[in-house]
Amino acid sequence: MRKGDEPVPGDWNKIAWCLWTTRPAIAEHDQALDAVLGRVARMERARPYRQLASAYLADFAPDRPRLDRVAGVLAAFAPKAGSPWDRAQTKFGIFDWREGAFRIARTALNEERNVQQLLESAGLGGALREGGFAKTVHDIGLHHLCGTTVTSATSRLEIIRRWCLRADDTFIFKDCSAGLARAVVLPFGDRVPPAVDRDLLVGFLVGKFGDPRVAPGRWIGMDDVAEILKRWLTEQSLRQFFDVLDKIAQPSHWRYRRAFWQAYFDHKPSLIRNAWVVFGSDGAAEAKRSFGDAVRFGVFRSGGRKQVLRGHAVLLMDLGQCVVADWSHTGYCTIWPNSDPTRPRNMNAESYTTSDVGRPLPKDLSEANLNRHDMFSHVGSENYVWQDRVAGRLLEMIGVRIPQYAYRVR
């Protein structure tokens, strides 16, 4: 149709779908919009109303020009239009352009349904279930969930899955990643959930978006959530390291180290900015059995100065001004200041050689000389000998002192 031409019947069948999708938008042209709305108001047939109502729900966005005028006509003539429009307007106020979407979001959440199920119950199925109006309701619901109290990880994930995912576990709306992640994590605020809940939430988010330590690009625009998740992952890595070693080595070797590093995390979770575990084959198998496939860790590969044993493991930690590698068995706790070019460069790699996470041994293996090289053997655990030495060195590097009573084994 050219400018100035009178619309023919075929044009009228399409014009409702062009209110906001043409440039310039038909809705911004008063004469054209009056013609569209007048045709509906005359109600000579139900078809023009159905076309306009469907276009409204499909192309809805709160900032659409003249949205209030279109919604007003649809609300006023819904009783004459018949089912399903009269029922949807009466029950949900679906054409209340200011509050309709909020009302439907609240109703769906309260009734433990998602937007699509609620619209389907109102007789609005097909493509309308995933149109612009449904997307707006969906986003409002996610925003609401960000501020609601979480009773358990299981219940929260049940709500999120119902609200955001199809039966095949794919996203109903592809661009809801940030809202979904925030609705999972932000309600906890500064509260750290119990370990079991934390593992469930971490497993779900890492399964959807990847580990933010390994794949930060997939978390662009979700920095607030990524920072919280990194703290949870740090605690998980600490727990993973010691829980696994408790099962593949002598527990007495690890309870002092668990108490020591847990004290640093408990003092201030952000003090350990990143933690990552590197396992030999025994540890890797036990970690998968205990924590599941979603939990990420590194493994040893061949090469390096030191021979890898099946039960070897290293806990890597970034403390801001330094990097620490605490080795299992008779290995050392080694510290590198950030100025040291030989420090481990990649905190979250899939594989490492032993040289990647250890210093060359000096010829003089006396404890005093090892300490001068920032290497500390785990002698005197019961008397907190090595712990006090490491704590003193970390005080010099990061300016934080953890008192001995905080890491004493009780």
Side-chain angles (χ1 to χ4, degrees):
M1 185 176 70
R2 295 175 301 179
K3 183 177 180 180
D5 288 349
E6 185 70 23
V8 299
D11 297 324
W12 284 114
N13 290 334
K14 301 173 184 176
I15 199 166
W17 298 98
C18 301
L19 284 180
W20 297 292
T21 57
T22 57
R23 292 292 181 271
I26 290 175
E28 294 182 294
H29 190 283
D30 287 335
Q31 187 177 359
L33 182 60
D34 286 344
V36 174
L37 298 183
R39 185 166 175 259
V40 171
R42 288 191 294 273
M43 286 299 291
E44 294 173 355
R45 292 183 302 159
R47 185 174 185 180
Y49 185 97
R50 291 199 305 268
Q51 291 171 339
L52 184 63
S54 297
Y56 175 89
L57 296 178
D59 296 334
F60 182 95
D63 59 350
R64 293 294 195 196
R66 308 292 200 281
L67 184 70
D68 56 336
R69 287 195 60 197
V70 177
V73 168
L74 291 172
F77 291 93
K80 292 184 179 181
S83 180
W85 312 108
D86 54 348
R87 182 157 40 95
Q89 177 61 18
T90 299
K91 187 172 183 179
F92 301 117
I94 198 167
F95 299 121
D96 179 346
W97 69 280
R98 288 187 185 276
E99 296 295 330
F102 289 92
R103 187 180 300 113
I104 289 177
R106 289 192 298 268
T107 301
L109 288 170
N110 289 338
E111 294 180 359
E112 298 185 353
R113 294 191 285 179
N114 63 24
V115 183
Q116 290 67 40
Q117 291 166 337
L118 189 141
L119 291 177
E120 186 77 45
S121 72
L124 303 174
L128 298 182
R129 292 179 303 172
E130 297 181 18
F133 185 80
K135 177 62 166 59
T136 299
V137 175
H138 177 87
D139 291 346
I140 290 170
L142 282 180
H143 182 75
H144 173 76
L145 288 171
C146 286
T148 58
T149 303
V150 178
T151 56
S152 71
T154 301
S155 63
R156 173 51 48 131
L157 292 182
E158 181 182 346
I159 293 170
I160 293 298
R161 287 192 173 98
R162 180 172 60 240
W163 193 257
C164 299
L165 304 179
R166 298 187 179 93
D168 62 0
D169 213 36
T170 59
F171 290 113
I172 296 173
F173 295 104
K174 293 181 180 179
D175 60 348
C176 76
S177 299
L180 180 153
R182 290 189 175 99
V184 171
V185 172
L186 295 188
F188 290 96
D190 294 332
R191 177 169 61 93
V192 178
V196 173
D197 280 1
R198 209 158 54 241
D199 289 347
L200 282 174
L201 299 171
V202 165
F204 175 78
L205 290 174
V206 169
K208 290 297 177 189
F209 309 117
D211 190 320
R213 302 169 300 179
V214 180
R218 297 179 65 181
W219 289 84
I220 293 174
M222 299 185 284
D223 294 345
D224 52 345
V225 182
E227 286 305 310
I228 295 173
L229 193 61
K230 285 177 185 177
R231 291 200 295 272
W232 293 1
L233 286 163
T234 294
E235 187 280 336
Q236 187 184 69
S237 290
L238 291 172
R239 182 161 39 89
Q240 180 188 39
F241 180 73
F242 293 111
D243 284 358
V244 169
L245 289 179
D246 278 349
K247 295 177 180 179
I248 66 173
Q250 296 181 35
S252 60
H253 289 180
W254 315 117
R255 58 178 180 156
Y256 290 96
R257 284 183 239 185
R258 182 194 290 268
F260 184 78
W261 294 118
Q262 190 66 45
Y264 275 82
F265 182 83
D266 291 343
H267 177 77
K268 188 178 181 181
S270 59
L271 190 61
I272 302 178
R273 299 184 179 184
N274 193 353
W276 190 250
V277 183
V278 187
F279 284 124
S281 56
D282 285 354
E286 179 58 34
K288 285 184 176 294
R289 191 192 69 78
S290 298
F291 288 84
D293 292 334
V295 175
R296 301 293 300 274
F297 53 82
V299 296
F300 283 112
R301 65 175 185 269
S302 60
R305 291 180 296 271
K306 182 176 180 177
Q307 181 183 2
V308 178
L309 301 180
R310 292 172 57 89
H312 269 155
V314 172
L315 176 62
L316 275 176
M317 291 168 285
D318 177 3
L319 276 71
Q321 288 79 24
C322 64
V323 173
V324 177
D326 201 1
W327 273 78
S328 67
H329 294 73
T330 57
Y332 298 100
C333 176
T334 303
I335 305 172
W336 292 264
N338 270 354
S339 58
D340 190 334
T342 67
R343 73 184 187 280
R345 289 288 182 174
N346 193 335
M347 280 291 299
N348 305 109
E350 293 184 356
S351 65
Y352 299 80
T353 69
T354 57
S355 297
D356 293 332
V357 288
R359 290 185 187 275
L361 286 173
K363 291 182 179 180
D364 179 1
L365 296 180
S366 66
E367 190 65 34
N369 190 54
L370 285 170
N371 294 172
R372 282 192 287 271
H373 287 80
D374 285 327
M375 302 173 71
F376 302 84
S377 65
H378 298 92
V379 296
S381 289
E382 297 84 351
N383 296 317
Y384 301 95
V385 174
W386 70 263
Q387 296 97 315
D388 289 345
R389 289 172 179 164
V390 173
R393 183 63 177 121
L394 290 178
L395 172 62
E396 296 172 359
M397 289 187 169
I398 67 176
V400 175
R401 177 68 190 236
I402 305 297
Q404 189 187 102
Y405 69 77
Y407 49 80
R408 292 188 70 87
V409 174
R410 296 170 177 83

PDB file of all heavy atoms in Angstrom, residues 188-201:
ATOM      1  N   PHE A 188      19.800 -14.413  48.907  1.00  0.00           N
ATOM      2  CA  PHE A 188      20.608 -14.799  50.059  1.00  0.00           C
ATOM      3  C   PHE A 188      21.378 -13.614  50.641  1.00  0.00           C
ATOM      4  O   PHE A 188      21.815 -13.655  51.783  1.00  0.00           O
ATOM      5  CB  PHE A 188      21.588 -15.912  49.675  1.00  0.00           C
ATOM      6  CG  PHE A 188      20.919 -17.224  49.402  1.00  0.00           C
ATOM      7  CD1 PHE A 188      20.602 -17.595  48.100  1.00  0.00           C
ATOM      8  CD2 PHE A 188      20.584 -18.084  50.435  1.00  0.00           C
ATOM      9  CE1 PHE A 188      19.975 -18.795  47.842  1.00  0.00           C
ATOM     10  CE2 PHE A 188      19.954 -19.289  50.186  1.00  0.00           C
ATOM     11  CZ  PHE A 188      19.644 -19.647  48.887  1.00  0.00           C
ATOM     12  N   GLY A 189      21.555 -12.546  49.846  1.00  0.00           N
ATOM     13  CA  GLY A 189      22.279 -11.372  50.323  1.00  0.00           C
ATOM     14  C   GLY A 189      23.666 -11.746  50.799  1.00  0.00           C
ATOM     15  O   GLY A 189      24.408 -12.454  50.119  1.00  0.00           O
ATOM     16  N   ASP A 190      24.035 -11.273  51.997  1.00  0.00           N
ATOM     17  CA  ASP A 190      25.338 -11.599  52.569  1.00  0.00           C
ATOM     18  C   ASP A 190      25.326 -12.930  53.304  1.00  0.00           C
ATOM     19  O   ASP A 190      26.368 -13.384  53.791  1.00  0.00           O
ATOM     20  CB  ASP A 190      25.781 -10.490  53.535  1.00  0.00           C
ATOM     21  CG  ASP A 190      26.048  -9.171  52.807  1.00  0.00           C
ATOM     22  OD1 ASP A 190      26.418  -9.226  51.614  1.00  0.00           O
ATOM     23  OD2 ASP A 190      25.869  -8.101  53.415  1.00  0.00           O
ATOM     24  N   ARG A 191      24.155 -13.544  53.389  1.00  0.00           N
ATOM     25  CA  ARG A 191      24.057 -14.823  54.097  1.00  0.00           C
ATOM     26  C   ARG A 191      24.596 -15.940  53.212  1.00  0.00           C
ATOM     27  O   ARG A 191      24.223 -16.065  52.051  1.00  0.00           O
ATOM     28  CB  ARG A 191      22.589 -15.086  54.452  1.00  0.00           C
ATOM     29  CG  ARG A 191      22.335 -16.419  55.141  1.00  0.00           C
ATOM     30  CD  ARG A 191      20.912 -16.462  55.693  1.00  0.00           C
ATOM     31  NE  ARG A 191      19.924 -16.331  54.636  1.00  0.00           N
ATOM     32  CZ  ARG A 191      19.362 -17.364  54.018  1.00  0.00           C
ATOM     33  NH1 ARG A 191      19.731 -18.593  54.316  1.00  0.00           N
ATOM     34  NH2 ARG A 191      18.435 -17.170  53.083  1.00  0.00           N
ATOM     35  N   VAL A 192      25.487 -16.750  53.785  1.00  0.00           N
ATOM     36  CA  VAL A 192      26.037 -17.882  53.042  1.00  0.00           C
ATOM     37  C   VAL A 192      25.158 -19.096  53.325  1.00  0.00           C
ATOM     38  O   VAL A 192      25.017 -19.510  54.475  1.00  0.00           O
ATOM     39  CB  VAL A 192      27.490 -18.171  53.461  1.00  0.00           C
ATOM     40  CG1 VAL A 192      28.032 -19.379  52.702  1.00  0.00           C
ATOM     41  CG2 VAL A 192      28.371 -16.954  53.219  1.00  0.00           C
ATOM     42  N   PRO A 193      24.525 -19.670  52.296  1.00  0.00           N
ATOM     43  CA  PRO A 193      23.631 -20.805  52.542  1.00  0.00           C
ATOM     44  C   PRO A 193      24.402 -22.027  53.034  1.00  0.00           C
ATOM     45  O   PRO A 193      25.622 -22.121  52.827  1.00  0.00           O
ATOM     46  CB  PRO A 193      22.995 -21.068  51.175  1.00  0.00           C
ATOM     47  CG  PRO A 193      23.741 -20.265  50.189  1.00  0.00           C
ATOM     48  CD  PRO A 193      24.614 -19.305  50.893  1.00  0.00           C
ATOM     49  N   PRO A 194      23.724 -22.972  53.661  1.00  0.00           N
ATOM     50  CA  PRO A 194      24.390 -24.213  54.090  1.00  0.00           C
ATOM     51  C   PRO A 194      25.051 -24.916  52.912  1.00  0.00           C
ATOM     52  O   PRO A 194      24.648 -24.743  51.757  1.00  0.00           O
ATOM     53  CB  PRO A 194      23.235 -25.046  54.666  1.00  0.00           C
ATOM     54  CG  PRO A 194      22.171 -24.065  55.008  1.00  0.00           C
ATOM     55  CD  PRO A 194      22.295 -22.943  54.018  1.00  0.00           C
ATOM     56  N   ALA A 195      26.056 -25.732  53.231  1.00  0.00           N
ATOM     57  CA  ALA A 195      26.855 -26.358  52.182  1.00  0.00           C
ATOM     58  C   ALA A 195      26.015 -27.166  51.198  1.00  0.00           C
ATOM     59  O   ALA A 195      26.228 -27.099  49.982  1.00  0.00           O
ATOM     60  CB  ALA A 195      27.927 -27.250  52.814  1.00  0.00           C
ATOM     61  N   VAL A 196      25.038 -27.916  51.693  1.00  0.00           N
ATOM     62  CA  VAL A 196      24.215 -28.742  50.806  1.00  0.00           C
ATOM     63  C   VAL A 196      23.431 -27.858  49.844  1.00  0.00           C
ATOM     64  O   VAL A 196      23.365 -28.127  48.636  1.00  0.00           O
ATOM     65  CB  VAL A 196      23.261 -29.631  51.629  1.00  0.00           C
ATOM     66  CG1 VAL A 196      22.299 -30.365  50.709  1.00  0.00           C
ATOM     67  CG2 VAL A 196      24.046 -30.636  52.460  1.00  0.00           C
ATOM     68  N   ASP A 197      22.825 -26.788  50.361  1.00  0.00           N
ATOM     69  CA  ASP A 197      22.097 -25.855  49.504  1.00  0.00           C
ATOM     70  C   ASP A 197      23.032 -25.171  48.522  1.00  0.00           C
ATOM     71  O   ASP A 197      22.707 -24.992  47.337  1.00  0.00           O
ATOM     72  CB  ASP A 197      21.395 -24.794  50.355  1.00  0.00           C
ATOM     73  CG  ASP A 197      20.092 -25.304  50.950  1.00  0.00           C
ATOM     74  OD1 ASP A 197      19.755 -26.480  50.713  1.00  0.00           O
ATOM     75  OD2 ASP A 197      19.420 -24.540  51.662  1.00  0.00           O
ATOM     76  N   ARG A 198      24.191 -24.785  49.020  1.00  0.00           N
ATOM     77  CA  ARG A 198      25.150 -24.084  48.175  1.00  0.00           C
ATOM     78  C   ARG A 198      25.577 -24.959  47.001  1.00  0.00           C
ATOM     79  O   ARG A 198      25.674 -24.496  45.869  1.00  0.00           O
ATOM     80  CB  ARG A 198      26.358 -23.686  49.030  1.00  0.00           C
ATOM     81  CG  ARG A 198      27.072 -22.454  48.567  1.00  0.00           C
ATOM     82  CD  ARG A 198      27.863 -21.801  49.664  1.00  0.00           C
ATOM     83  NE  ARG A 198      28.797 -22.661  50.346  1.00  0.00           N
ATOM     84  CZ  ARG A 198      28.746 -22.931  51.643  1.00  0.00           C
ATOM     85  NH1 ARG A 198      27.786 -22.438  52.399  1.00  0.00           N
ATOM     86  NH2 ARG A 198      29.651 -23.701  52.202  1.00  0.00           N
ATOM     87  N   ASP A 199      25.813 -26.215  47.267  1.00  0.00           N
ATOM     88  CA  ASP A 199      26.235 -27.122  46.192  1.00  0.00           C
ATOM     89  C   ASP A 199      25.139 -27.290  45.150  1.00  0.00           C
ATOM     90  O   ASP A 199      25.416 -27.363  43.937  1.00  0.00           O
ATOM     91  CB  ASP A 199      26.630 -28.482  46.768  1.00  0.00           C
ATOM     92  CG  ASP A 199      27.945 -28.441  47.538  1.00  0.00           C
ATOM     93  OD1 ASP A 199      28.670 -27.438  47.415  1.00  0.00           O
ATOM     94  OD2 ASP A 199      28.237 -29.406  48.273  1.00  0.00           O
ATOM     95  N   LEU A 200      23.878 -27.347  45.581  1.00  0.00           N
ATOM     96  CA  LEU A 200      22.770 -27.464  44.629  1.00  0.00           C
ATOM     97  C   LEU A 200      22.668 -26.227  43.747  1.00  0.00           C
ATOM     98  O   LEU A 200      22.521 -26.327  42.520  1.00  0.00           O
ATOM     99  CB  LEU A 200      21.452 -27.659  45.385  1.00  0.00           C
ATOM    100  CG  LEU A 200      21.161 -29.052  45.938  1.00  0.00           C
ATOM    101  CD1 LEU A 200      19.895 -29.030  46.787  1.00  0.00           C
ATOM    102  CD2 LEU A 200      21.016 -30.076  44.821  1.00  0.00           C
ATOM    103  N   LEU A 201      22.752 -25.052  44.369  1.00  0.00           N
ATOM    104  CA  LEU A 201      22.637 -23.800  43.623  1.00  0.00           C
ATOM    105  C   LEU A 201      23.815 -23.625  42.673  1.00  0.00           C
ATOM    106  O   LEU A 201      23.648 -23.233  41.514  1.00  0.00           O
ATOM    107  CB  LEU A 201      22.554 -22.622  44.591  1.00  0.00           C
ATOM    108  CG  LEU A 201      21.351 -22.631  45.543  1.00  0.00           C
ATOM    109  CD1 LEU A 201      21.497 -21.546  46.604  1.00  0.00           C
ATOM    110  CD2 LEU A 201      20.049 -22.449  44.785  1.00  0.00           C
TER     111      LEU A 201
END
